[in-house]
Amino acid sequence: MIDLKQLKNNPEYFKKSSRNKNYQLDNLIDEILLKYEEYLGILSKEQISREQLNLISKKISKNSSQKEIDEIRKKAKVISTEATFFSQQAKELKKVIDEKLSYIPNPPLEIVPISMSEEDNVVLSTHLDELKKNSAKPHWDILNDKKLYLKEEAIFLSGARNVIYQDKGAKLIKAIENFMLEVHTEINGYTQMETPFLVNQEVLFNTSQLPKMEEDLYKLKNGQYLIPTAEVTLTNLGANKIFKLEELPKKYVAATSCFRKEAGSAGKDTRGIIRLHQFRKVELVKIVTPENSIEELKQTMNDAISILEKLKLPYRILQLVSSDISFGSQITYDLEVWMPSTQTYREISSISLMGDFQARRMKAKFKTVKNKKEFVHTINGSGLAIDRTFAAILENYQDDKGNIIIPEVLKKYLSFDQI
């Protein structure tokens, strides 16, 4: 959520920043500002009524006659009713303003390239090793040929874009997850959490998935939702809290199933395990001070990169342009892994700084050295997407005989060293 006072002081900045994210919100911003002026006017009327009530109450003294007291109380009752009316009006109008304000995206930082096309995302660096740089057998054929998953049975159970891993496939998926968690907890210093898959509407609003992203979410009849990512649950561990300065940064990691409808992705990645409705992901979340947020963002990216480095998977780093970063993000870097079967890079992690955007929604603050309460900053990123890591290993670790060689760092979690 953006700061309403900042919006009032500089509406043109937020109009421009929204356009830079490909949102046309000039009219909405103008409407919010008109309602805000109305809101301030009602608050002023309430304050005047409260002041009048206070003055009238002081007129009652020991020398006041009963008639005078009755007249004063009568006037006070009228004014009190007015004050209550204005107070209720203000609350209802503020609710309307906040609802409209929730549709204004987080402005990108100045260093974010401005573009309406993802084709303009900036490649910061490329990291290739001696693995498959030429075409290789696609991972969906390997999954099928080596009986690592059950595709038709998964479709029968849950529909398209769902999978059942079996035997060595199931074991390798779990090994990848355990490896990632061990690195992030034992080396990178995160606290491992196990969080629910079901969350309430407020929780999704806090992390800005609602109201803008509702079409991608799975909603239950009781009003709860399946999580689209553990960012939702981990970030909300800071909701309604005031952290001591020495408690920050908070660093959380969780491996969860994630659920997304993938609305608008019809026809994309219909083969294999790149784009699933239910998938596994290791998520990294940080709650930090504003002063340290940029440095913590860089470190979060390095933490995600450490997984790719240890697995020796070819990858590249992208800085996303303004229209390609998420609704709530200030700046986003993507890690993309090399998929030799299609000679392309595919996203395997997205690391974002949200600033105080989520913190304002979930009322997460900290006490400064001067004992002042300020909003925290939040950071999130994949560390990594497990199914996509599995696919990348299958394609990059093929030998000349068609075997899949298990990466060295995963061997201690498995009873076999090739598939």
PDB file of all heavy atoms in Angstrom, residues 342-353:
ATOM      1  N   THR A 342      15.798 -26.741 -25.616  1.00  0.00           N
ATOM      2  CA  THR A 342      15.164 -25.665 -26.395  1.00  0.00           C
ATOM      3  C   THR A 342      16.120 -24.502 -26.637  1.00  0.00           C
ATOM      4  O   THR A 342      15.729 -23.506 -27.262  1.00  0.00           O
ATOM      5  CB  THR A 342      13.917 -25.144 -25.655  1.00  0.00           C
ATOM      6  OG1 THR A 342      14.264 -24.803 -24.302  1.00  0.00           O
ATOM      7  CG2 THR A 342      12.817 -26.190 -25.637  1.00  0.00           C
ATOM      8  N   GLN A 343      17.358 -24.642 -26.143  1.00  0.00           N
ATOM      9  CA  GLN A 343      18.371 -23.588 -26.304  1.00  0.00           C
ATOM     10  C   GLN A 343      17.854 -22.240 -25.785  1.00  0.00           C
ATOM     11  O   GLN A 343      18.015 -21.205 -26.419  1.00  0.00           O
ATOM     12  CB  GLN A 343      18.784 -23.479 -27.778  1.00  0.00           C
ATOM     13  CG  GLN A 343      19.500 -24.705 -28.312  1.00  0.00           C
ATOM     14  CD  GLN A 343      20.922 -24.837 -27.783  1.00  0.00           C
ATOM     15  OE1 GLN A 343      21.814 -24.113 -28.177  1.00  0.00           O
ATOM     16  NE2 GLN A 343      21.123 -25.767 -26.863  1.00  0.00           N
ATOM     17  N   THR A 344      17.231 -22.286 -24.625  1.00  0.00           N
ATOM     18  CA  THR A 344      16.682 -21.073 -24.029  1.00  0.00           C
ATOM     19  C   THR A 344      16.962 -21.047 -22.525  1.00  0.00           C
ATOM     20  O   THR A 344      17.248 -22.082 -21.915  1.00  0.00           O
ATOM     21  CB  THR A 344      15.154 -20.982 -24.219  1.00  0.00           C
ATOM     22  OG1 THR A 344      14.544 -22.165 -23.671  1.00  0.00           O
ATOM     23  CG2 THR A 344      14.779 -20.830 -25.681  1.00  0.00           C
ATOM     24  N   TYR A 345      16.850 -19.850 -21.970  1.00  0.00           N
ATOM     25  CA  TYR A 345      16.898 -19.684 -20.525  1.00  0.00           C
ATOM     26  C   TYR A 345      15.473 -19.610 -19.996  1.00  0.00           C
ATOM     27  O   TYR A 345      14.592 -19.032 -20.628  1.00  0.00           O
ATOM     28  CB  TYR A 345      17.626 -18.387 -20.155  1.00  0.00           C
ATOM     29  CG  TYR A 345      19.119 -18.440 -20.310  1.00  0.00           C
ATOM     30  CD1 TYR A 345      19.722 -17.992 -21.485  1.00  0.00           C
ATOM     31  CD2 TYR A 345      19.938 -18.914 -19.289  1.00  0.00           C
ATOM     32  CE1 TYR A 345      21.099 -18.020 -21.635  1.00  0.00           C
ATOM     33  CE2 TYR A 345      21.307 -18.956 -19.427  1.00  0.00           C
ATOM     34  CZ  TYR A 345      21.887 -18.498 -20.598  1.00  0.00           C
ATOM     35  OH  TYR A 345      23.255 -18.527 -20.742  1.00  0.00           O
ATOM     36  N   ARG A 346      15.253 -20.210 -18.826  1.00  0.00           N
ATOM     37  CA  ARG A 346      13.935 -20.153 -18.201  1.00  0.00           C
ATOM     38  C   ARG A 346      14.060 -19.673 -16.763  1.00  0.00           C
ATOM     39  O   ARG A 346      14.982 -20.067 -16.039  1.00  0.00           O
ATOM     40  CB  ARG A 346      13.263 -21.545 -18.208  1.00  0.00           C
ATOM     41  CG  ARG A 346      13.069 -22.147 -19.581  1.00  0.00           C
ATOM     42  CD  ARG A 346      12.364 -21.186 -20.533  1.00  0.00           C
ATOM     43  NE  ARG A 346      11.089 -20.756 -20.027  1.00  0.00           N
ATOM     44  CZ  ARG A 346       9.950 -21.335 -20.351  1.00  0.00           C
ATOM     45  NH1 ARG A 346       9.912 -22.355 -21.173  1.00  0.00           N
ATOM     46  NH2 ARG A 346       8.822 -20.868 -19.868  1.00  0.00           N
ATOM     47  N   GLU A 347      13.111 -18.830 -16.350  1.00  0.00           N
ATOM     48  CA  GLU A 347      13.131 -18.289 -14.994  1.00  0.00           C
ATOM     49  C   GLU A 347      13.095 -19.409 -13.960  1.00  0.00           C
ATOM     50  O   GLU A 347      12.284 -20.329 -14.046  1.00  0.00           O
ATOM     51  CB  GLU A 347      11.929 -17.369 -14.780  1.00  0.00           C
ATOM     52  CG  GLU A 347      11.835 -16.804 -13.379  1.00  0.00           C
ATOM     53  CD  GLU A 347      10.472 -16.202 -13.064  1.00  0.00           C
ATOM     54  OE1 GLU A 347       9.796 -15.733 -14.019  1.00  0.00           O
ATOM     55  OE2 GLU A 347      10.079 -16.227 -11.893  1.00  0.00           O
ATOM     56  N   ILE A 348      13.984 -19.299 -12.973  1.00  0.00           N
ATOM     57  CA  ILE A 348      14.001 -20.279 -11.888  1.00  0.00           C
ATOM     58  C   ILE A 348      13.940 -19.594 -10.523  1.00  0.00           C
ATOM     59  O   ILE A 348      13.712 -20.227  -9.500  1.00  0.00           O
ATOM     60  CB  ILE A 348      15.260 -21.179 -11.997  1.00  0.00           C
ATOM     61  CG1 ILE A 348      15.065 -22.477 -11.203  1.00  0.00           C
ATOM     62  CG2 ILE A 348      16.520 -20.428 -11.570  1.00  0.00           C
ATOM     63  CD1 ILE A 348      16.054 -23.554 -11.571  1.00  0.00           C
ATOM     64  N   SER A 349      14.121 -18.274 -10.536  1.00  0.00           N
ATOM     65  CA  SER A 349      13.988 -17.484  -9.306  1.00  0.00           C
ATOM     66  C   SER A 349      13.730 -16.041  -9.674  1.00  0.00           C
ATOM     67  O   SER A 349      14.255 -15.530 -10.659  1.00  0.00           O
ATOM     68  CB  SER A 349      15.257 -17.580  -8.457  1.00  0.00           C
ATOM     69  OG  SER A 349      15.147 -16.749  -7.313  1.00  0.00           O
ATOM     70  N   SER A 350      12.904 -15.401  -8.847  1.00  0.00           N
ATOM     71  CA  SER A 350      12.629 -13.974  -9.000  1.00  0.00           C
ATOM     72  C   SER A 350      12.786 -13.343  -7.626  1.00  0.00           C
ATOM     73  O   SER A 350      12.097 -13.736  -6.684  1.00  0.00           O
ATOM     74  CB  SER A 350      11.204 -13.771  -9.541  1.00  0.00           C
ATOM     75  OG  SER A 350      11.003 -12.453  -9.966  1.00  0.00           O
ATOM     76  N   ILE A 351      13.716 -12.383  -7.509  1.00  0.00           N
ATOM     77  CA  ILE A 351      14.045 -11.799  -6.209  1.00  0.00           C
ATOM     78  C   ILE A 351      13.625 -10.334  -6.212  1.00  0.00           C
ATOM     79  O   ILE A 351      14.072  -9.562  -7.074  1.00  0.00           O
ATOM     80  CB  ILE A 351      15.547 -11.924  -5.895  1.00  0.00           C
ATOM     81  CG1 ILE A 351      15.966 -13.398  -5.922  1.00  0.00           C
ATOM     82  CG2 ILE A 351      15.874 -11.324  -4.546  1.00  0.00           C
ATOM     83  CD1 ILE A 351      16.752 -13.785  -7.131  1.00  0.00           C
ATOM     84  N   SER A 352      12.782  -9.946  -5.260  1.00  0.00           N
ATOM     85  CA  SER A 352      12.191  -8.606  -5.283  1.00  0.00           C
ATOM     86  C   SER A 352      12.306  -7.891  -3.948  1.00  0.00           C
ATOM     87  O   SER A 352      12.175  -8.501  -2.885  1.00  0.00           O
ATOM     88  CB  SER A 352      10.702  -8.700  -5.652  1.00  0.00           C
ATOM     89  OG  SER A 352      10.524  -9.240  -6.945  1.00  0.00           O
ATOM     90  N   LEU A 353      12.523  -6.583  -4.044  1.00  0.00           N
ATOM     91  CA  LEU A 353      12.424  -5.693  -2.894  1.00  0.00           C
ATOM     92  C   LEU A 353      11.062  -5.012  -2.957  1.00  0.00           C
ATOM     93  O   LEU A 353      10.718  -4.380  -3.957  1.00  0.00           O
ATOM     94  CB  LEU A 353      13.541  -4.642  -2.931  1.00  0.00           C
ATOM     95  CG  LEU A 353      13.431  -3.492  -1.925  1.00  0.00           C
ATOM     96  CD1 LEU A 353      13.503  -4.007  -0.495  1.00  0.00           C
ATOM     97  CD2 LEU A 353      14.522  -2.443  -2.180  1.00  0.00           C
TER      98      LEU A 353
END
